[in-house]
Amino acid sequence: MRTLNVSLGARSYPIYIGSGLLGRAELLVDKLKTPRVAVVTNETVARYYLQTLTDALHGAGVTVTPVVLPDGEEYKNWQTLNLIFDALLESRCDRSTTVVALGGGVVGDMAGFAAACYQRGVPFIQIPTTLLAQVDSSVGGKTGINHPLGKNMIGAFHQPRAVIADTDTLKTLPDRELKAGIAEVVKYGLIRDLPFFEWLEANMERLLARDGAALTHAIECSCANKADVVAEDETESGVRALLNLGHTFGHAIEAGLGYGMWLHGEAVAAGMAMAADLSRRLGWLSRGEVERIRALLERAGLPVTGPRLGAARYLELMSLDKKVASGRLRLILLRAIGQGVISSEAAEDQIRATIDACCDA
Amino acid sequence: MRTLNVSLGARSYPIYIGSGLLGRAELLVDKLKTPRVAVVTNETVARYYLQTLTDALHGAGVTVTPVVLPDGEEYKNWQTLNLIFDALLESRCDRSTTVVALGGGVVGDMAGFAAACYQRGVPFIQIPTTLLAQVDSSVGGKTGINHPLGKNMIGAFHQPRAVIADTDTLKTLPDRELKAGIAEVVKYGLIRDLPFFEWLEANMERLLARDGAALTHAIECSCANKADVVAEDETESGVRALLNLGHTFGHAIEAGLGYGMWLHGEAVAAGMAMAADLSRRLGWLSRGEVERIRALLERAGLPVTGPRLGAARYLELMSLDKKVASGRLRLILLRAIGQGVISSEAAEDQIRATIDACCDA
């Protein structure tokens, strides 16, 4: 097992990465205020892993309230969030109950937001079971739900007390979701870690083959990068925005098609390719570097072009994104591979040119 | 104008108390990140005060999005909260937009919770227009909504950047709401300020006659007490719970009758009388002191007995209240007038005796 630390003063917490961690209740029990948890998961994950976790917790004397949600991004809304509150209240969970998220990004975001709001905040632990959640969404305390007019528009910063990434859970992950997770892994290389990007170029096939050592290394490097950024800027007033590389274009894709058509990581992959194209138009990347980025994403089986929504629709959806500072469209772009930058320099016609060039005919 | 300060480090903020403050846009403008606000209010308050505030803000060059909610505690729920999110998104408010609550406790709690969650948190300013909101709910950062199974079960701690209490707004306050606000005023005397309790005994009739100087003094003393407590314990891990004197019984009354039948302050008044009775059963207050408390509340026209719900129902509703530590019923009681205490000492049969003694036949 590898252990990383997210340094946030009194809210610091460990990230455990390794095999067989679901059965190691002590990792979790150490972080509880009282031996009482509500495990929030979805129907798919529950089938595979809820029993293992519950058995381990019962063995450690912990009372468990399971909350099983329907599976899918389309359920990341008020209605589903309320199912969590209903269950917590019906089983009389109090302020000392810990909410445990067992699942992917959607489960983690919703369970975390429920923990942030239930009785104005209860403790929270993340047990991410998808690659995307293990390398990205489970770390850093961002929680929330979607609104018909925008993704993650309603939410809270609520740091977990621990993140437990059991790499065994990736064995049941569908290929498409594994690849979507790799998009966020590539992101860390692009924004701040050229050596990791080069490692990915050398090892992409091992990741796709689910080689355990390769996955563990990729998760560890990703989490180490994310932990650094989060420690520097917990609530995204500055450098943390770099983690949104590809996300403004990506959110437009997801919202424009309707949530659930593309996976988040797929939209981010196309969005990163678009951000690379735009960075080239600003004179920061060469054509060769843009190609190198696209080639790595394509080797991971990820899309590098967006759907044809029309530039006007993209721009409309992008300006609804949270990354708007007083009317100016603020984007994450690349000065080089391994060097992300927060920039408002792109003119609207340059953004339009990128959309026209990078979307399917 | 009087100015108090709530000392919370980087989250410290002023409370302004006085006449004519709604027209003084500079108090508010000083606290904005950008000249853009969403003013959340209700239909009743909007009729009286929205134009005055909007005119003042427009005069200071601030763009205003009004969000007018239906009036009443029964609307303090997800559906109404979503109306705020819809309005913020439809008018493209971004992370730098400030949410301003113009209204009573319900408006303040909902607008504050919306500000806490919108894009994971935007700035927030309170302009309370009821006595209860001016002396209590607008200060301290508690925000939230009700759930069918419990009051304020879903919420967040989100401190305002300023509280602007314009005493002129109390001129249009219905008598019943003025009295309900006085319940919370009396609370500060009971839990930590014997001289203020004695001042209230000497000046209750002036308050009921809406004497300006008396109201200003009562608001200032109340806010000063509240600011002290909040500065000591922002998130209610300890002493802040004292502010809940009467609230556990009170929440049972409100929930048991259905929200909206009794005003919050009325339920708190009866709850404080019940807490006093229970404190006497524990040997802390004399019969004379209990009578003195009841007499002051009765002079304010407040109820000192609860509705007949039955002890079993009271206990059921009370144990759903947030003030439960791992299954034990934790109550705020009185060691003396002016000395509140957080206690789990009351046995269930003593609580039952109080409910039987203090509820209507």
mmCIF file of all heavy atoms in Angstrom, chain A residues 34 78 82 85-86 89 92 94 117 119-120 142-143 147 153-155 236 316 319 322 326, chain B residues 34 78 82 85-86 89 92 94-95 117 119-120 142-143 147 153-155 316 319 322 326:
data_model
loop_
_atom_site.group_PDB
_atom_site.id
_atom_site.type_symbol
_atom_site.label_atom_id
_atom_site.label_comp_id
_atom_site.label_asym_id
_atom_site.label_seq_id
_atom_site.Cartn_x
_atom_site.Cartn_y
_atom_site.Cartn_z
ATOM 1 N N THR A 34 -17.650 8.243 15.519
ATOM 2 C CA THR A 34 -18.377 7.199 16.239
ATOM 3 C C THR A 34 -18.477 6.005 15.292
ATOM 4 O O THR A 34 -18.371 6.177 14.077
ATOM 5 C CB THR A 34 -19.803 7.655 16.617
ATOM 6 O OG1 THR A 34 -20.471 8.100 15.422
ATOM 7 C CG2 THR A 34 -19.776 8.798 17.623
ATOM 8 N N TRP A 78 -30.805 16.979 -7.695
ATOM 9 C CA TRP A 78 -31.487 17.166 -6.413
ATOM 10 C C TRP A 78 -32.260 15.938 -5.976
ATOM 11 O O TRP A 78 -32.294 15.590 -4.798
ATOM 12 C CB TRP A 78 -32.528 18.296 -6.516
ATOM 13 C CG TRP A 78 -31.976 19.656 -6.473
ATOM 14 C CD1 TRP A 78 -32.219 20.654 -7.377
ATOM 15 C CD2 TRP A 78 -31.109 20.209 -5.490
ATOM 16 N NE1 TRP A 78 -31.543 21.778 -6.999
ATOM 17 C CE2 TRP A 78 -30.859 21.536 -5.858
ATOM 18 C CE3 TRP A 78 -30.515 19.701 -4.336
ATOM 19 C CZ2 TRP A 78 -30.044 22.364 -5.106
ATOM 20 C CZ3 TRP A 78 -29.697 20.525 -3.597
ATOM 21 C CH2 TRP A 78 -29.472 21.839 -3.985
ATOM 22 N N ASN A 82 -31.604 14.010 -2.545
ATOM 23 C CA ASN A 82 -32.628 13.902 -1.504
ATOM 24 C C ASN A 82 -32.838 12.470 -1.031
ATOM 25 O O ASN A 82 -33.216 12.249 0.120
ATOM 26 C CB ASN A 82 -33.945 14.503 -1.993
ATOM 27 C CG ASN A 82 -34.080 15.947 -1.562
ATOM 28 O OD1 ASN A 82 -33.763 16.288 -0.420
ATOM 29 N ND2 ASN A 82 -34.520 16.801 -2.461
ATOM 30 N N PHE A 85 -30.451 12.174 1.767
ATOM 31 C CA PHE A 85 -30.936 12.838 2.987
ATOM 32 C C PHE A 85 -32.069 12.040 3.630
ATOM 33 O O PHE A 85 -32.127 11.891 4.846
ATOM 34 C CB PHE A 85 -31.422 14.253 2.668
ATOM 35 C CG PHE A 85 -30.328 15.188 2.232
ATOM 36 C CD1 PHE A 85 -30.488 16.016 1.139
ATOM 37 C CD2 PHE A 85 -29.126 15.239 2.925
ATOM 38 C CE1 PHE A 85 -29.481 16.881 0.737
ATOM 39 C CE2 PHE A 85 -28.112 16.107 2.530
ATOM 40 C CZ PHE A 85 -28.290 16.933 1.430
ATOM 41 N N ASP A 86 -32.984 11.544 2.797
ATOM 42 C CA ASP A 86 -34.090 10.747 3.329
ATOM 43 C C ASP A 86 -33.546 9.554 4.120
ATOM 44 O O ASP A 86 -33.989 9.274 5.233
ATOM 45 C CB ASP A 86 -34.973 10.223 2.182
ATOM 46 C CG ASP A 86 -35.746 11.341 1.484
ATOM 47 O OD1 ASP A 86 -35.810 12.454 2.033
ATOM 48 O OD2 ASP A 86 -36.264 11.091 0.384
ATOM 49 N N LEU A 89 -31.855 10.574 7.420
ATOM 50 C CA LEU A 89 -32.828 10.978 8.434
ATOM 51 C C LEU A 89 -33.652 9.796 8.908
ATOM 52 O O LEU A 89 -33.914 9.651 10.105
ATOM 53 C CB LEU A 89 -33.728 12.088 7.880
ATOM 54 C CG LEU A 89 -33.063 13.473 7.901
ATOM 55 C CD1 LEU A 89 -33.774 14.441 6.978
ATOM 56 C CD2 LEU A 89 -33.038 14.027 9.328
ATOM 57 N N ARG A 92 -31.879 7.890 11.240
ATOM 58 C CA ARG A 92 -31.489 8.724 12.385
ATOM 59 C C ARG A 92 -29.991 8.913 12.519
ATOM 60 O O ARG A 92 -29.432 8.881 13.624
ATOM 61 C CB ARG A 92 -32.071 8.141 13.677
ATOM 62 C CG ARG A 92 -33.581 8.109 13.608
ATOM 63 C CD ARG A 92 -34.228 7.751 14.927
ATOM 64 N NE ARG A 92 -35.597 8.244 14.902
ATOM 65 C CZ ARG A 92 -36.154 8.981 15.853
ATOM 66 N NH1 ARG A 92 -35.452 9.320 16.903
ATOM 67 N NH2 ARG A 92 -37.382 9.393 15.751
ATOM 68 N N ASP A 94 -26.807 10.988 12.962
ATOM 69 C CA ASP A 94 -26.635 12.294 13.576
ATOM 70 C C ASP A 94 -25.334 12.934 13.087
ATOM 71 O O ASP A 94 -24.719 12.476 12.138
ATOM 72 C CB ASP A 94 -26.748 12.210 15.105
ATOM 73 C CG ASP A 94 -25.588 11.462 15.748
ATOM 74 O OD1 ASP A 94 -24.537 11.287 15.099
ATOM 75 O OD2 ASP A 94 -25.739 11.056 16.919
ATOM 76 N N CYS A 117 -23.736 19.026 3.528
ATOM 77 C CA CYS A 117 -24.990 19.721 3.862
ATOM 78 C C CYS A 117 -25.775 19.063 4.985
ATOM 79 O O CYS A 117 -26.625 19.719 5.594
ATOM 80 C CB CYS A 117 -25.914 19.776 2.653
ATOM 81 S SG CYS A 117 -25.237 20.690 1.279
ATOM 82 N N GLN A 119 -27.139 18.220 8.192
ATOM 83 C CA GLN A 119 -26.983 18.860 9.496
ATOM 84 C C GLN A 119 -25.801 19.839 9.488
ATOM 85 O O GLN A 119 -25.067 19.977 10.456
ATOM 86 C CB GLN A 119 -26.847 17.794 10.588
ATOM 87 C CG GLN A 119 -28.066 16.851 10.563
ATOM 88 C CD GLN A 119 -28.310 16.135 11.876
ATOM 89 O OE1 GLN A 119 -27.588 16.331 12.847
ATOM 90 N NE2 GLN A 119 -29.335 15.316 11.921
ATOM 91 N N ARG A 120 -25.636 20.511 8.364
ATOM 92 C CA ARG A 120 -24.575 21.510 8.110
ATOM 93 C C ARG A 120 -23.171 20.915 8.140
ATOM 94 O O ARG A 120 -22.194 21.623 8.385
ATOM 95 C CB ARG A 120 -24.657 22.681 9.089
ATOM 96 C CG ARG A 120 -25.951 23.461 8.958
ATOM 97 C CD ARG A 120 -25.854 24.852 9.560
ATOM 98 N NE ARG A 120 -27.180 25.450 9.605
ATOM 99 C CZ ARG A 120 -28.012 25.345 10.631
ATOM 100 N NH1 ARG A 120 -27.655 24.695 11.718
ATOM 101 N NH2 ARG A 120 -29.192 25.902 10.584
ATOM 102 N N LYS A 142 -13.911 18.712 -3.768
ATOM 103 C CA LYS A 142 -14.989 19.276 -4.587
ATOM 104 C C LYS A 142 -16.150 18.301 -4.596
ATOM 105 O O LYS A 142 -15.983 17.120 -4.907
ATOM 106 C CB LYS A 142 -14.520 19.500 -6.020
ATOM 107 C CG LYS A 142 -13.782 20.798 -6.224
ATOM 108 C CD LYS A 142 -13.691 21.104 -7.714
ATOM 109 C CE LYS A 142 -12.895 22.350 -7.993
ATOM 110 N NZ LYS A 142 -12.823 22.631 -9.437
ATOM 111 N N THR A 143 -17.321 18.803 -4.263
ATOM 112 C CA THR A 143 -18.517 17.967 -4.264
ATOM 113 C C THR A 143 -19.619 18.742 -4.969
ATOM 114 O O THR A 143 -19.522 19.966 -5.097
ATOM 115 C CB THR A 143 -18.982 17.646 -2.836
ATOM 116 O OG1 THR A 143 -19.510 18.841 -2.236
ATOM 117 C CG2 THR A 143 -17.843 17.119 -1.973
ATOM 118 N N HIS A 147 -27.049 20.966 -12.582
ATOM 119 C CA HIS A 147 -28.285 21.713 -12.766
ATOM 120 C C HIS A 147 -28.595 21.634 -14.263
ATOM 121 O O HIS A 147 -27.667 21.541 -15.060
ATOM 122 C CB HIS A 147 -28.055 23.172 -12.326
ATOM 123 C CG HIS A 147 -29.281 24.039 -12.396
ATOM 124 N ND1 HIS A 147 -29.748 24.556 -13.577
ATOM 125 C CD2 HIS A 147 -30.136 24.462 -11.437
ATOM 126 C CE1 HIS A 147 -30.846 25.274 -13.328
ATOM 127 N NE2 HIS A 147 -31.089 25.234 -12.038
ATOM 128 N N MET A 153 -22.972 22.894 -10.904
ATOM 129 C CA MET A 153 -23.247 24.298 -10.575
ATOM 130 C C MET A 153 -23.597 24.466 -9.097
ATOM 131 O O MET A 153 -23.474 25.549 -8.550
ATOM 132 C CB MET A 153 -24.412 24.814 -11.433
ATOM 133 C CG MET A 153 -23.977 25.208 -12.829
ATOM 134 S SD MET A 153 -22.951 26.687 -12.787
ATOM 135 C CE MET A 153 -21.889 26.373 -14.208
ATOM 136 N N ILE A 154 -24.056 23.388 -8.463
ATOM 137 C CA ILE A 154 -24.466 23.460 -7.064
ATOM 138 C C ILE A 154 -23.567 22.514 -6.280
ATOM 139 O O ILE A 154 -23.508 21.317 -6.589
ATOM 140 C CB ILE A 154 -25.929 22.987 -6.900
ATOM 141 C CG1 ILE A 154 -26.827 23.556 -8.003
ATOM 142 C CG2 ILE A 154 -26.456 23.303 -5.511
ATOM 143 C CD1 ILE A 154 -26.945 25.039 -8.025
ATOM 144 N N GLY A 155 -22.858 23.024 -5.287
ATOM 145 C CA GLY A 155 -21.966 22.129 -4.567
ATOM 146 C C GLY A 155 -21.267 22.806 -3.410
ATOM 147 O O GLY A 155 -21.633 23.895 -2.981
ATOM 148 N N GLU A 236 -9.796 26.903 -5.078
ATOM 149 C CA GLU A 236 -9.703 27.336 -6.464
ATOM 150 C C GLU A 236 -9.818 28.840 -6.627
ATOM 151 O O GLU A 236 -10.652 29.346 -7.377
ATOM 152 C CB GLU A 236 -10.772 26.618 -7.309
ATOM 153 C CG GLU A 236 -10.441 26.715 -8.791
ATOM 154 C CD GLU A 236 -11.306 25.781 -9.636
ATOM 155 O OE1 GLU A 236 -11.433 24.595 -9.256
ATOM 156 O OE2 GLU A 236 -11.816 26.227 -10.653
ATOM 157 N N GLU A 316 -21.815 29.684 -25.941
ATOM 158 C CA GLU A 316 -22.883 29.925 -24.978
ATOM 159 C C GLU A 316 -22.705 29.015 -23.758
ATOM 160 O O GLU A 316 -22.769 29.461 -22.607
ATOM 161 C CB GLU A 316 -24.226 29.644 -25.657
ATOM 162 C CG GLU A 316 -25.442 29.934 -24.780
ATOM 163 C CD GLU A 316 -26.723 29.371 -25.402
ATOM 164 O OE1 GLU A 316 -26.679 28.887 -26.556
ATOM 165 O OE2 GLU A 316 -27.748 29.402 -24.703
ATOM 166 N N SER A 319 -19.550 29.927 -21.621
ATOM 167 C CA SER A 319 -19.597 31.123 -20.775
ATOM 168 C C SER A 319 -20.495 30.894 -19.570
ATOM 169 O O SER A 319 -20.494 31.674 -18.626
ATOM 170 C CB SER A 319 -20.039 32.338 -21.582
ATOM 171 O OG SER A 319 -21.390 32.203 -21.936
ATOM 172 N N LYS A 322 -18.292 27.720 -14.781
ATOM 173 C CA LYS A 322 -17.881 28.508 -13.624
ATOM 174 C C LYS A 322 -16.612 29.311 -13.872
ATOM 175 O O LYS A 322 -16.310 30.236 -13.163
ATOM 176 C CB LYS A 322 -17.650 27.587 -12.419
ATOM 177 C CG LYS A 322 -18.925 27.013 -11.849
ATOM 178 C CD LYS A 322 -18.665 26.206 -10.592
ATOM 179 C CE LYS A 322 -17.843 24.977 -10.861
ATOM 180 N NZ LYS A 322 -18.484 24.006 -11.748
ATOM 181 N N SER A 326 -15.975 37.640 -14.261
ATOM 182 C CA SER A 326 -16.631 38.899 -14.613
ATOM 183 C C SER A 326 -16.803 39.077 -16.111
ATOM 184 O O SER A 326 -16.447 40.120 -16.671
ATOM 185 C CB SER A 326 -15.829 40.073 -14.052
ATOM 186 O OG SER A 326 -15.588 39.840 -12.702
ATOM 187 N N THR B 34 -17.432 42.312 -7.252
ATOM 188 C CA THR B 34 -17.728 43.007 -8.507
ATOM 189 C C THR B 34 -19.073 43.703 -8.312
ATOM 190 O O THR B 34 -19.856 43.306 -7.444
ATOM 191 C CB THR B 34 -17.856 42.017 -9.690
ATOM 192 O OG1 THR B 34 -18.823 41.010 -9.349
ATOM 193 C CG2 THR B 34 -16.523 41.334 -9.978
ATOM 194 N N TRP B 78 -36.355 22.532 -0.792
ATOM 195 C CA TRP B 78 -35.589 22.378 -2.034
ATOM 196 C C TRP B 78 -36.208 23.115 -3.200
ATOM 197 O O TRP B 78 -35.505 23.702 -4.020
ATOM 198 C CB TRP B 78 -35.551 20.896 -2.457
ATOM 199 C CG TRP B 78 -34.589 20.068 -1.723
ATOM 200 C CD1 TRP B 78 -34.869 18.884 -1.093
ATOM 201 C CD2 TRP B 78 -33.198 20.314 -1.541
ATOM 202 N NE1 TRP B 78 -33.727 18.404 -0.520
ATOM 203 C CE2 TRP B 78 -32.701 19.254 -0.780
ATOM 204 C CE3 TRP B 78 -32.344 21.324 -1.932
ATOM 205 C CZ2 TRP B 78 -31.372 19.173 -0.410
ATOM 206 C CZ3 TRP B 78 -31.024 21.253 -1.556
ATOM 207 C CH2 TRP B 78 -30.556 20.194 -0.813
ATOM 208 N N ASN B 82 -34.295 25.931 -5.298
ATOM 209 C CA ASN B 82 -34.007 25.787 -6.725
ATOM 210 C C ASN B 82 -34.441 26.997 -7.539
ATOM 211 O O ASN B 82 -33.860 27.289 -8.581
ATOM 212 C CB ASN B 82 -34.653 24.508 -7.266
ATOM 213 C CG ASN B 82 -33.668 23.352 -7.255
ATOM 214 O OD1 ASN B 82 -32.516 23.530 -7.621
ATOM 215 N ND2 ASN B 82 -34.114 22.186 -6.847
ATOM 216 N N PHE B 85 -31.439 29.131 -7.513
ATOM 217 C CA PHE B 85 -30.406 28.659 -8.450
ATOM 218 C C PHE B 85 -30.816 28.930 -9.899
ATOM 219 O O PHE B 85 -30.001 29.350 -10.720
ATOM 220 C CB PHE B 85 -30.151 27.162 -8.252
ATOM 221 C CG PHE B 85 -29.536 26.825 -6.920
ATOM 222 C CD1 PHE B 85 -30.019 25.765 -6.166
ATOM 223 C CD2 PHE B 85 -28.481 27.562 -6.417
ATOM 224 C CE1 PHE B 85 -29.453 25.441 -4.945
ATOM 225 C CE2 PHE B 85 -27.906 27.248 -5.190
ATOM 226 C CZ PHE B 85 -28.404 26.188 -4.452
ATOM 227 N N ASP B 86 -32.093 28.681 -10.207
ATOM 228 C CA ASP B 86 -32.570 28.935 -11.567
ATOM 229 C C ASP B 86 -32.325 30.402 -11.941
ATOM 230 O O ASP B 86 -31.815 30.701 -13.023
ATOM 231 C CB ASP B 86 -34.074 28.635 -11.678
ATOM 232 C CG ASP B 86 -34.381 27.147 -11.547
ATOM 233 O OD1 ASP B 86 -33.448 26.326 -11.656
ATOM 234 O OD2 ASP B 86 -35.556 26.805 -11.328
ATOM 235 N N LEU B 89 -28.589 31.230 -12.412
ATOM 236 C CA LEU B 89 -28.048 30.681 -13.652
ATOM 237 C C LEU B 89 -28.644 31.380 -14.867
ATOM 238 O O LEU B 89 -27.930 31.686 -15.827
ATOM 239 C CB LEU B 89 -28.309 29.168 -13.711
ATOM 240 C CG LEU B 89 -27.327 28.357 -12.872
ATOM 241 C CD1 LEU B 89 -27.862 26.958 -12.589
ATOM 242 C CD2 LEU B 89 -25.969 28.254 -13.580
ATOM 243 N N ARG B 92 -27.059 34.462 -15.441
ATOM 244 C CA ARG B 92 -25.631 34.249 -15.637
ATOM 245 C C ARG B 92 -24.777 34.877 -14.537
ATOM 246 O O ARG B 92 -23.710 35.461 -14.793
ATOM 247 C CB ARG B 92 -25.181 34.778 -17.001
ATOM 248 C CG ARG B 92 -25.932 34.057 -18.100
ATOM 249 C CD ARG B 92 -25.427 34.387 -19.475
ATOM 250 N NE ARG B 92 -25.769 33.281 -20.373
ATOM 251 C CZ ARG B 92 -24.901 32.666 -21.165
ATOM 252 N NH1 ARG B 92 -23.641 33.030 -21.184
ATOM 253 N NH2 ARG B 92 -25.284 31.686 -21.937
ATOM 254 N N ASP B 94 -22.017 34.839 -11.871
ATOM 255 C CA ASP B 94 -20.825 33.999 -11.784
ATOM 256 C C ASP B 94 -20.309 33.972 -10.343
ATOM 257 O O ASP B 94 -20.991 34.394 -9.416
ATOM 258 C CB ASP B 94 -19.773 34.414 -12.816
ATOM 259 C CG ASP B 94 -19.155 35.771 -12.522
ATOM 260 O OD1 ASP B 94 -19.285 36.274 -11.375
ATOM 261 O OD2 ASP B 94 -18.533 36.338 -13.430
ATOM 262 N N ARG B 95 -19.100 33.440 -10.186
ATOM 263 C CA ARG B 95 -18.568 33.251 -8.834
ATOM 264 C C ARG B 95 -18.300 34.536 -8.080
ATOM 265 O O ARG B 95 -18.056 34.520 -6.887
ATOM 266 C CB ARG B 95 -17.248 32.480 -8.918
ATOM 267 C CG ARG B 95 -17.447 31.018 -9.069
ATOM 268 C CD ARG B 95 -16.081 30.360 -9.064
ATOM 269 N NE ARG B 95 -16.234 28.928 -9.034
ATOM 270 C CZ ARG B 95 -15.254 28.076 -9.263
ATOM 271 N NH1 ARG B 95 -14.047 28.530 -9.557
ATOM 272 N NH2 ARG B 95 -15.461 26.787 -9.200
ATOM 273 N N CYS B 117 -23.785 27.219 -1.759
ATOM 274 C CA CYS B 117 -23.747 26.112 -2.734
ATOM 275 C C CYS B 117 -23.574 26.562 -4.168
ATOM 276 O O CYS B 117 -23.141 25.761 -5.008
ATOM 277 C CB CYS B 117 -25.033 25.296 -2.662
ATOM 278 S SG CYS B 117 -25.315 24.517 -1.086
ATOM 279 N N GLN B 119 -22.163 27.426 -7.356
ATOM 280 C CA GLN B 119 -20.797 27.311 -7.866
ATOM 281 C C GLN B 119 -19.800 27.075 -6.722
ATOM 282 O O GLN B 119 -18.681 27.568 -6.737
ATOM 283 C CB GLN B 119 -20.446 28.549 -8.700
ATOM 284 C CG GLN B 119 -21.455 28.741 -9.839
ATOM 285 C CD GLN B 119 -20.928 29.536 -11.004
ATOM 286 O OE1 GLN B 119 -19.785 29.965 -11.011
ATOM 287 N NE2 GLN B 119 -21.754 29.713 -12.012
ATOM 288 N N ARG B 120 -20.246 26.305 -5.748
ATOM 289 C CA ARG B 120 -19.490 25.941 -4.539
ATOM 290 C C ARG B 120 -19.152 27.132 -3.638
ATOM 291 O O ARG B 120 -18.210 27.067 -2.855
ATOM 292 C CB ARG B 120 -18.204 25.184 -4.878
ATOM 293 C CG ARG B 120 -18.475 23.856 -5.556
ATOM 294 C CD ARG B 120 -17.291 22.920 -5.517
ATOM 295 N NE ARG B 120 -17.553 21.780 -6.374
ATOM 296 C CZ ARG B 120 -17.199 21.712 -7.660
ATOM 297 N NH1 ARG B 120 -16.538 22.711 -8.212
ATOM 298 N NH2 ARG B 120 -17.498 20.654 -8.365
ATOM 299 N N LYS B 142 -25.157 30.460 9.970
ATOM 300 C CA LYS B 142 -25.958 29.245 9.802
ATOM 301 C C LYS B 142 -26.956 29.473 8.677
ATOM 302 O O LYS B 142 -27.701 30.448 8.688
ATOM 303 C CB LYS B 142 -26.723 28.918 11.087
ATOM 304 C CG LYS B 142 -25.903 28.170 12.104
ATOM 305 C CD LYS B 142 -26.841 27.562 13.138
ATOM 306 C CE LYS B 142 -26.085 26.845 14.233
ATOM 307 N NZ LYS B 142 -26.999 26.280 15.238
ATOM 308 N N THR B 143 -26.961 28.563 7.726
ATOM 309 C CA THR B 143 -27.897 28.660 6.620
ATOM 310 C C THR B 143 -28.522 27.294 6.410
ATOM 311 O O THR B 143 -27.980 26.285 6.873
ATOM 312 C CB THR B 143 -27.180 29.068 5.316
ATOM 313 O OG1 THR B 143 -26.373 27.969 4.863
ATOM 314 C CG2 THR B 143 -26.296 30.294 5.516
ATOM 315 N N HIS B 147 -36.392 19.823 6.025
ATOM 316 C CA HIS B 147 -36.701 18.537 5.397
ATOM 317 C C HIS B 147 -38.004 18.065 6.054
ATOM 318 O O HIS B 147 -38.242 18.402 7.219
ATOM 319 C CB HIS B 147 -35.558 17.550 5.685
ATOM 320 C CG HIS B 147 -35.723 16.208 5.042
ATOM 321 N ND1 HIS B 147 -36.551 15.245 5.540
ATOM 322 C CD2 HIS B 147 -35.161 15.682 3.925
ATOM 323 C CE1 HIS B 147 -36.487 14.169 4.755
ATOM 324 N NE2 HIS B 147 -35.646 14.412 3.769
ATOM 325 N N MET B 153 -32.393 20.663 8.579
ATOM 326 C CA MET B 153 -31.579 19.446 8.523
ATOM 327 C C MET B 153 -30.529 19.521 7.411
ATOM 328 O O MET B 153 -29.528 18.821 7.448
ATOM 329 C CB MET B 153 -32.476 18.227 8.296
ATOM 330 C CG MET B 153 -33.155 17.757 9.565
ATOM 331 S SD MET B 153 -31.945 17.053 10.728
ATOM 332 C CE MET B 153 -32.733 17.448 12.284
ATOM 333 N N ILE B 154 -30.799 20.347 6.402
ATOM 334 C CA ILE B 154 -29.886 20.454 5.263
ATOM 335 C C ILE B 154 -29.365 21.879 5.228
ATOM 336 O O ILE B 154 -30.161 22.821 5.164
ATOM 337 C CB ILE B 154 -30.636 20.156 3.933
ATOM 338 C CG1 ILE B 154 -31.586 18.969 4.073
ATOM 339 C CG2 ILE B 154 -29.656 20.010 2.781
ATOM 340 C CD1 ILE B 154 -30.922 17.670 4.401
ATOM 341 N N GLY B 155 -28.062 22.065 5.277
ATOM 342 C CA GLY B 155 -27.568 23.438 5.288
ATOM 343 C C GLY B 155 -26.062 23.515 5.281
ATOM 344 O O GLY B 155 -25.372 22.534 5.028
ATOM 345 N N GLU B 316 -39.863 11.721 20.298
ATOM 346 C CA GLU B 316 -39.490 11.242 18.972
ATOM 347 C C GLU B 316 -38.941 12.396 18.134
ATOM 348 O O GLU B 316 -37.885 12.285 17.508
ATOM 349 C CB GLU B 316 -40.735 10.642 18.304
ATOM 350 C CG GLU B 316 -40.458 10.019 16.939
ATOM 351 C CD GLU B 316 -41.760 9.686 16.204
ATOM 352 O OE1 GLU B 316 -42.844 9.810 16.812
ATOM 353 O OE2 GLU B 316 -41.670 9.334 15.019
ATOM 354 N N SER B 319 -35.496 13.745 19.429
ATOM 355 C CA SER B 319 -34.294 12.950 19.199
ATOM 356 C C SER B 319 -33.874 13.006 17.733
ATOM 357 O O SER B 319 -32.777 12.615 17.377
ATOM 358 C CB SER B 319 -34.493 11.511 19.653
ATOM 359 O OG SER B 319 -35.418 10.876 18.824
ATOM 360 N N LYS B 322 -30.880 17.969 15.652
ATOM 361 C CA LYS B 322 -29.438 17.824 15.481
ATOM 362 C C LYS B 322 -28.682 17.726 16.800
ATOM 363 O O LYS B 322 -27.551 17.279 16.845
ATOM 364 C CB LYS B 322 -28.886 19.015 14.696
ATOM 365 C CG LYS B 322 -29.293 19.020 13.240
ATOM 366 C CD LYS B 322 -28.653 20.158 12.482
ATOM 367 C CE LYS B 322 -29.122 21.512 12.979
ATOM 368 N NZ LYS B 322 -30.539 21.780 12.790
ATOM 369 N N SER B 326 -24.562 11.020 19.654
ATOM 370 C CA SER B 326 -24.492 9.558 19.694
ATOM 371 C C SER B 326 -25.627 8.926 20.501
ATOM 372 O O SER B 326 -25.395 8.083 21.361
ATOM 373 C CB SER B 326 -23.163 9.106 20.281
ATOM 374 O OG SER B 326 -22.135 9.769 19.620
#
